[in-house]
């Protein structure tokens, strides 16, 4: 199987993973990225993914500080669960996509706006939390 580009869902989830794990462990964001990437490097194209993930993490953390969000680690944990349950457009994922996410939906075309798309999705999720459109479980 030929390598493909990361899809937006997996990118978003990976950004949350790096942010959350680096917050609750002694590992830096770069170290967490390297540990997590090992699971994907055989199947995904490395198109500067590390720079984009780390940029998205830093942007996300600064946005959360800017909007004075309470617990950042709790936010990323709930956002990960949201990513597992909902598509980027906000619609609920089908059982099949939940079960076979990640690598099954890798793309043959790179999304050059993945950092911006992550930020938009994160801010939409945050707005849903404060308006109670989303109820974390």
């Amino acid at each position: 199987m030929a390598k493909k580009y990361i899809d937006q869902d997996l990118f978003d989830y990976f950004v949350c993973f790096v942010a959350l794990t680096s917050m609750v462990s002694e590992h830096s964001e770069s170290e967490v990225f390297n540990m997590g990437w090992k699971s994907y490097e055989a199947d995904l194209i490395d198109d500067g993914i590390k720079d984009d993930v780390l940029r998205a993490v830093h942007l996300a953390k600064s946005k959360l500080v800017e909007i004075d969000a309470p617990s950042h680690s709790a936010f990323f944990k709930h956002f990960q669960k949201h990513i597992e349950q909902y598509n980027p457009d906000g619609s609920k994922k089908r059982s099949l996509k939940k079960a076979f996410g990640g690598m099954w939906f890798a793309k043959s075309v790179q999304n050059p706006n993945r950092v911006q798309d992550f930020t938009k999705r994160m801010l939409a999720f945050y707005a849903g939390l404060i308006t109670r459109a989303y109820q974390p479980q």
Side-chain angles (χ1 to χ4, degrees), residues 6 12 31 46 53 61-62 65 70-71 94 107 113 117:
I6 194 168
D12 294 351
E31 290 171 323
D46 182 354
V53 166
K61 286 181 176 180
S62 69
V65 167
S71 169
R94 292 184 185 167
K107 304 289 182 189
N113 300 316
D117 290 348

Side-chain angles (χ1 to χ4, degrees), residues 114-127:
R114 60 189 174 202
V115 174
Q116 295 87 344
D117 290 348
F118 167 82
T119 305
K120 287 179 197 171
R121 186 177 188 183
M122 183 195 84
L123 293 174
F125 174 71
Y126 183 75

Side-chain angles (χ1 to χ4, degrees), residues 8-26:
Q8 190 65 42
D9 248 9
L10 184 55
F11 179 82
D12 294 351
Y13 192 87
F14 200 48
V15 171
C16 288
F17 166 77
V18 170
L20 178 59
T21 305
S22 66
M23 290 172 142
V24 299
S25 74
E26 72 280 354

